[in-house]
Amino acid sequence: MMKSLLLFLTLPLLGAIGLAAEKSAPKRVAFIFDDGPTPEQNARLLRVLKDAGARVTFAHVGRAVEAHPELARAAHEAGHEINNHSYSHPHLRELDEAAVRNELVRTAEAVQRATGVKPAWFWAPFLETNDTIDAIAREATGVEHFPFKKFHFISTEDWNQATSADEIERAATTGVRDGTIVLCHEWRAETVDRLPAILAELKRQGCTFVTFSELLAK
């Protein structure tokens, strides 16, 4: 009788503890900033991320890395991850295989010269890729296209100048759950302007900020 009573009293408590643990588990969010490095925004963006204790992934364009290797180096030294976003940001599916290889190899070499490490992943411009392009990336640069379709994906649409700062902030902070990727663009001043508020709101929602590799590691 006593054992039954104890079990009756204990089960609701265990359930409450489990529910509290579930609610307190952080939601992993991976921001990716495309099309950099951008001299006009890079230092301010890195400062915002440092102040928030946030590590993110950058999708760097090879010609921009060649023009500003110090900016790619700064992102790497700050603990962020860098992806291969092609050399000139073309529609890769419109190129022949030799041109695709050139786009990816030149970018991988530029990032490695600037940072000492090769890009962690391939991240296609416009997210336009196919099996042939992915195979070229794998064979020529030794990296895979990041499997973003495995995760909850949010685009802030900040590439579109018609997207307002309020809309960018709302998109980045709405419907976020564990395993979310948030796509932004480094060159968009309004995104960097609103980033402190975005990160603060996501922290309030129980989010933690991780790189692509950390997101995939779980």
Side-chain angles (χ1 to χ4, degrees):
M1 179 68 178
M2 181 60 70
K3 288 183 179 180
S4 298
L5 180 60
L6 287 173
L7 184 62
F8 176 79
L9 294 173
T10 302
L11 283 176
L13 178 60
L14 292 175
I17 292 172
L19 182 60
E22 182 179 342
K23 286 184 177 179
S24 64
K27 294 183 284 189
R28 297 163 304 139
V29 177
F31 274 83
I32 181 162
F33 289 87
D34 279 17
D35 300 353
T38 308
E40 297 79 8
Q41 303 297 338
N42 186 265
R44 186 162 66 108
L45 174 56
L46 291 180
R47 185 167 59 252
V48 169
L49 294 171
K50 180 180 179 181
D51 290 346
R55 295 173 63 238
V56 302
T57 296
F58 287 92
H60 277 356
V61 175
R63 64 186 177 189
V65 174
E66 285 186 348
H68 303 285
E70 74 284 358
L71 301 184
R73 189 176 309 117
H76 170 69
E77 290 177 350
H80 305 294
E81 189 168 72
I82 297 176
N83 284 357
N84 186 330
H85 199 43
S86 80
Y87 186 81
S88 63
H89 206 280
H91 292 275
L92 291 175
R93 291 189 298 218
E94 298 177 2
L95 305 182
D96 62 31
E97 293 185 15
V100 170
R101 180 184 300 271
N102 184 60
E103 285 279 335
L104 302 185
V105 169
R106 290 181 72 182
T107 303
E109 291 174 348
V111 171
Q112 187 149 15
R113 282 195 302 271
T115 68
V117 298
K118 68 181 182 181
W121 301 92
F122 165 47
W123 184 252
F126 312 104
L127 291 178
E128 294 175 355
T129 189
N130 56 35
D131 290 345
T132 299
I133 294 169
D134 290 351
I136 292 171
R138 189 163 48 248
E139 182 272 328
T141 69
V143 300
E144 302 282 343
H145 193 278
F146 188 77
F148 70 96
K149 291 182 180 179
K150 290 184 177 181
F151 301 96
H152 178 50
F153 184 79
I154 292 174
S155 173
T156 61
E157 300 296 314
D158 62 346
W159 59 269
N160 185 347
Q161 293 288 358
T163 304
S164 70
D166 285 345
E167 289 170 328
I168 292 168
E169 182 174 344
R170 183 161 55 250
T173 56
T174 302
V176 176
R177 58 178 186 258
D178 182 54
T180 293
I181 294 171
V182 181
L183 173 62
C184 303
H185 288 77
E186 180 176 331
W187 52 264
R188 185 70 190 268
E190 290 85 350
T191 298
V192 182
D193 289 342
R194 292 297 181 94
L195 190 58
I198 290 169
L199 297 176
E201 169 58 21
L202 290 176
K203 283 185 177 180
R204 189 194 68 78
Q205 294 180 25
C207 297
T208 185
F209 308 111
V210 299
T211 65
F212 273 12
S213 291
E214 291 168 335
L215 185 64
L216 195 63
K218 182 173 179 180

